[in-house]
Amino acid sequence: MINAMSLNITLRQLVTFDSLARHRNFTRVADQMGLTQPAVSMQMKQLENQLGVALTEQTGKRIDLTEEGEETLTCARAILQNLDDLEIALDERKGVRTGRLLISVVTTVNTFAPKLLRTFQQEYPGVNIVLDVANRKRLLHLLSENEVDMVIMGKPPKGQDLKAEAILENPLVIVAHPDHPLAKKKRISLSAFENETFIMREPGSGTRSVMERFFEEKKQTYVSGLEVSGAEALKQCVQSGLGLGLMSRDAVMMELEAGHVIELDVAGLPIQRHWYLVHRKGKRLSPPARAFKEFVLGEAETLVQGG
Ligand code: PGA
């Protein structure tokens, strides 16, 4: 039987084990924790020695948890969660003015997120904001793993225990190089895109799924061209005349204003969507996270549209 008093396990070992259970890959754990791979193996070995059981088993490259590993993981996560709660409770005592805020936004929102954060930061200079920019798939993963306070993204899927509140409109449009043959046409019908090449976002992008769903529903084909990661790269390709792009107008606003790209006048567009502020249902929000939520729900529209 394990005697808690004689156990000599460290929080770092529990964090390492939690990370290994998530990534199932020693190199990735080492990268994430800023350790060498042998150091990660050592932490795991020491934890197993202390508990007197094997926590993982490796078949080729595949790492699985043993039954004892699963049980230890549940306990390790409860301990780490308790410590997170303690940090929040202590932050409550200190008030909203300090603490950390972990925010992730989809690449498309990246154009207006800094504006929101700048104003929030001016109001709460003591809050340490960590901003991560990724695609929709990655954000949903961060939410499910409870690795982020809040995210800004397109409408999240149902049935994932998420609380999502619409904050802004998000019209999606087709953009082109100003010299494109369709540039000056009015009320372009979708059939005109039959032989047009579109620059595609990477799989896992919300923009890409909306685009595919849209053309499928309209039973309209198009040519898939180059595939790029992130809204910024998509924009650059359209600007270089490599093809058309279907994307959030927000993401391309500056290029539209500067005349580097133009929005095509297409019948049935824009596709009307919204941006959402999303966090896990029932998540205990830290004081800075609560303040940020209140701030975004109250101010987003004015701030973003006010320039
Ligand atoms: P993404 O974002 O295309 O950068 O994933 C859009 C969304 O969340 O719908």
Side-chain angles (χ1 to χ4, degrees):
M1 192 168 97
I2 295 172
N3 175 351
M5 293 304 283
S6 65
L7 264 186
N8 193 11
I9 61 179
T10 64
L11 283 175
R12 192 147 181 93
Q13 288 163 358
L14 296 184
V15 172
T16 307
F17 178 43
D18 175 40
S19 178
L20 184 63
R22 289 179 204 279
H23 298 297
R24 308 289 168 124
N25 181 309
F26 280 91
T27 318
R28 229 174 293 154
V29 175
D31 284 351
Q32 202 201 29
M33 298 192 60
L35 295 172
T36 60
Q37 202 178 316
V40 172
S41 306
M42 180 63 84
Q43 300 263 356
M44 286 303 301
K45 195 95 248 115
Q46 287 168 345
L47 181 59
E48 288 183 328
N49 286 344
Q50 279 297 317
L51 297 172
V53 290
L55 299 175
T56 58
E57 55 199 3
Q58 193 157 357
T59 331
K61 285 204 159 162
R62 191 189 150 100
I63 296 174
D64 289 309
L65 298 196
T66 59
E67 272 180 37
E68 292 81 357
E70 293 287 0
E71 206 153 318
T72 307
L73 181 65
T74 310
C75 180
R77 287 191 171 158
I79 293 171
L80 298 174
Q81 185 60 53
N82 270 335
L83 283 174
D84 277 352
D85 287 350
L86 173 64
E87 198 185 348
I88 293 175
L90 295 179
D91 278 350
E92 303 261 6
R93 289 176 177 265
K94 293 182 214 148
V96 177
R97 303 277 149 196
T98 57
R100 210 153 60 114
L101 180 62
L102 300 176
I103 301 288
S104 289
V105 302
V106 280
T107 62
T108 329
V109 173
N110 200 23
T111 44
F112 69 74
K115 216 184 267 183
L116 284 178
L117 292 176
R118 189 185 59 212
T119 313
F120 181 76
Q121 183 90 89
Q122 279 162 356
E123 229 169 286
Y124 300 99
V127 173
N128 173 16
I129 303 174
V130 181
L131 173 69
D132 180 30
V133 182
N135 72 19
R136 174 182 176 86
K137 186 170 172 206
R138 167 98 188 122
L139 260 53
L140 289 173
H141 174 77
L142 291 175
L143 284 167
S144 77
E145 296 291 315
N146 200 17
E147 285 182 16
V148 68
D149 287 321
M150 237 167 273
V151 312
I152 300 179
M153 63 187 298
K155 191 175 187 164
K158 288 206 179 87
Q160 293 213 359
D161 261 354
L162 297 173
K163 171 121 180 103
E165 284 157 274
I167 50 169
L168 285 169
E169 287 186 352
N170 170 26
L172 279 88
V173 298
I174 297 181
V175 288
H177 187 276
D179 295 339
H180 193 278
L182 292 174
K184 303 229 154 39
K185 296 240 159 46
K186 294 270 168 253
R187 308 296 294 159
I188 305 165
S189 82
L190 279 182
S191 57
F193 295 101
E194 177 105 31
N195 298 312
E196 288 295 338
T197 303
F198 278 81
I199 310 294
M200 301 297 291
R201 283 285 306 275
E202 76 285 6
S205 146
T207 308
R208 177 175 170 140
S209 351
V210 172
M211 170 174 177
E212 287 174 341
R213 221 170 29 236
F214 176 75
F215 279 108
E216 204 175 292
E217 274 168 18
K218 306 282 180 204
K219 300 196 179 5
Q220 181 57 57
T221 55
Y222 57 91
V223 183
S224 310
L226 207 65
E227 188 176 292
V228 294
S229 279
E232 188 58 38
L234 173 52
K235 206 155 74 168
Q236 297 296 339
C237 289
V238 174
Q239 206 171 313
S240 311
L242 283 165
L244 300 173
L246 190 149
M247 64 193 307
S248 294
R249 196 189 274 148
D250 282 337
V252 73
M253 205 47 116
M254 267 167 18
E255 289 73 9
L256 285 170
E257 278 166 12
H260 298 321
V261 298
I262 52 128
E263 180 180 327
L264 296 184
D265 180 6
V266 184
L269 282 174
I271 304 172
Q272 288 299 356
R273 297 188 82 220
H274 283 87
W275 292 121
Y276 286 78
L277 184 68
V278 187
H279 61 75
R280 283 161 69 102
K281 237 182 225 165
K283 180 170 173 67
R284 184 167 176 189
L285 295 178
S286 65
R290 276 207 310 268
F292 183 71
K293 179 172 175 176
E294 215 170 283
F295 166 78
V296 173
L297 294 182
E299 308 282 333
E301 206 148 346
T302 334
L303 271 176
V304 173
Q305 277 149 23

